Amino acid sequence: MNTSATTARAKVPVTVITGFLGAGKTTLLRHVLANAKGKRIAIVVNEFGTLGIDGDTLRACGVEGCTDEDIVELTNGCLCCTVADDFLPTMEALLDRATPPDHIVIETSGLALPKPLLKAFGWPTIRTRMTVDGVVTVVDGPAVEAGRFADDPAEVARQQAADPSLDHDNPLAEVYEDQLLCADLVVLNKTDLMTPAQADGVEAAIRAEIPRAVKVVRATDGQVDPAVLLGLDAAAEDDLAARPSHHDAEGGEHEHDDFESFVLPIPEQDSVEGFIANLKKLAEQHDILRMKGYATVRGKAMRLAVQGVGSRFRHQFDQPVPKDGPRTGNLVVIGQKGLDQAAIAAALAPG
């Protein structure tokens, strides 16, 4: 048998990492890159908004062998809506490299529906050359436990019975449920922020939501062995019928009109504590879903990376601020439609 010819004909496996805003997808990816053990992994990052924070975070990972050319960033639209314009040319370019990757990992936008993306793998130019090894859905355990992304079906039915004219659709819950229903593996993340009973409750709810056998693994900070994530061999593009979606009746199309995103410039901050406290206050006042970005702090040579989900924030100094560059930053703000951008911007403006 000609091993090299067999290898050349083998389809490149693709893993789709999905999950709602702030679930920990990028953290999970960094762990995968740090434990790749020589495997050539290409990353395609898609974000809701125009500023590529997640791609920048991955490039700053400091992992040996992780080069800029291995991280492709798409920031001009959700992949599930821009398949022909952005996704297909990107995948074809990766396949046409002199040394193609051993594995491709796609990190979708937190607002993306995975199923339309899976359908794109039926495109003639890539169908014979790659396969969806699996869909990994990352779940923010504490957020789900708090009811942030899940409806109470009994309560919805009660309200609808009282007033059938009411529209009780929850766009947050729909996105979350579609991401779960498409999964081959669910990573229940941030379990360190939950009690064992809370984690058990969320896992039970996840299993009740998915109408087929799907493995659920628990994680803290996305620390999951890549051997568990890669190599599922699901061929998900051939298994679409087993992955129901709220949008199946609409031909797989969906809109992002329920959400909005904008980028705000961040002036140099006087202190880390004051900045984080201000962000938490804004998140609570305006019901902001997600904030992420960078700022500089007076007297500090390193820039401050900030990640917020609701009013929960994490921050760290991640890399030097260029000596000849401006001491400013940027913050991506994502929420449901109707955010008061002017008020949020004013609260972050220089005093």
Side-chain angles (χ1 to χ4, degrees):
M1 178 182 291
N2 187 331
T3 305
S4 60
T6 302
T7 303
R9 289 194 299 270
K11 292 183 179 182
V12 175
V14 180
T15 297
V16 176
I17 307 289
T18 188
F20 203 76
L21 300 164
K25 299 183 295 296
T26 304
T27 304
L28 182 79
L29 261 178
R30 289 187 67 168
H31 184 69
V32 169
L33 290 174
N35 295 275
K37 297 180 180 178
K39 178 179 287 189
R40 296 191 308 276
I41 298 177
I43 306 292
V44 178
V45 182
N46 183 224
E47 296 200 55
F48 184 72
T50 57
L51 187 67
I53 296 296
D54 292 346
D56 200 14
T57 299
L58 289 169
R59 291 189 186 94
C61 65
V63 175
E64 185 178 355
C66 175
T67 64
D68 283 359
E69 70 172 10
D70 290 326
I71 299 171
V72 181
E73 196 165 22
L74 303 174
T75 59
N76 57 337
C78 171
L79 270 182
C80 61
C81 301
T82 61
V83 166
D85 293 336
D86 297 316
F87 170 70
L88 291 172
T90 296
M91 301 304 276
E92 290 167 0
L94 288 173
L95 291 171
D96 291 339
R97 286 182 177 180
T99 306
D102 297 320
H103 204 112
I104 299 171
V105 180
I106 301 172
E107 179 192 346
T108 72
S109 154
L111 298 176
L113 306 182
K115 191 168 182 178
L117 182 58
L118 298 188
K119 290 180 179 179
F121 284 87
W123 197 265
T125 57
I126 63 173
R127 181 172 180 79
T128 59
R129 305 176 68 190
M130 58 176 56
T131 181
V132 182
D133 181 67
V135 177
V136 177
T137 299
V138 186
V139 172
D140 182 334
V144 174
E145 197 277 330
R148 184 74 178 184
F149 310 129
D151 284 324
D152 180 342
E155 177 62 15
V156 170
R158 186 192 68 76
Q159 292 184 33
Q160 286 177 325
D163 184 358
S165 67
L166 292 176
D167 178 6
H168 300 293
D169 287 344
N170 182 341
L172 302 183
E174 283 195 5
V175 173
Y176 168 71
E177 289 163 7
D178 268 32
Q179 292 170 346
L180 277 184
L181 291 168
C182 210
D184 295 293
L185 174 72
V186 175
V187 175
L188 177 52
N189 201 24
K190 307 183 185 180
T191 53
D192 56 316
L193 303 178
M194 310 170 70
T195 66
Q198 289 173 329
D200 289 344
V202 172
E203 181 171 341
I206 289 171
R207 293 188 183 281
E209 186 73 41
I210 305 174
R212 56 197 175 92
V214 170
K215 185 175 181 180
V216 178
V217 297
R218 300 185 184 188
T220 296
D221 289 330
Q223 303 289 303
V224 180
D225 187 340
V228 175
L229 303 173
L230 311 181
L232 298 177
D233 198 25
E237 71 275 16
D238 296 326
D239 187 34
L240 296 177
R243 303 162 194 269
S245 165
H246 286 283
H247 301 269
D248 281 341
E250 304 164 19
E253 297 177 0
H254 80 125
E255 301 292 340
H256 290 305
D257 292 343
D258 296 312
F259 307 98
E260 64 179 309
S261 168
F262 50 85
V263 181
L264 296 176
I266 303 297
E268 185 174 47
Q269 301 295 307
D270 291 328
S271 73
V272 174
E273 295 76 14
F275 180 48
I276 299 300
N278 193 23
L279 293 182
K280 288 182 178 180
K281 181 180 178 181
L282 282 172
E284 292 168 354
Q285 288 178 339
H286 297 275
D287 196 23
I288 297 170
L289 296 173
R290 186 85 163 99
M291 284 190 271
K292 55 184 177 180
Y294 305 104
T296 59
V297 181
R298 200 174 312 280
K300 302 293 185 180
M302 302 284 285
R303 74 176 187 180
L304 183 72
V306 176
Q307 297 274 351
V309 181
S311 59
R312 287 188 285 115
F313 281 84
R314 299 179 64 177
H315 59 275
Q316 63 180 23
F317 289 103
D318 69 337
Q319 64 184 53
V321 178
K323 292 183 178 180
D324 55 352
R327 291 190 62 83
T328 56
N330 288 292
L331 187 72
V332 178
V333 180
I334 305 174
Q336 294 195 72
K337 202 73 174 180
L339 285 177
D340 190 341
Q341 181 173 344
I344 296 170
L348 293 170

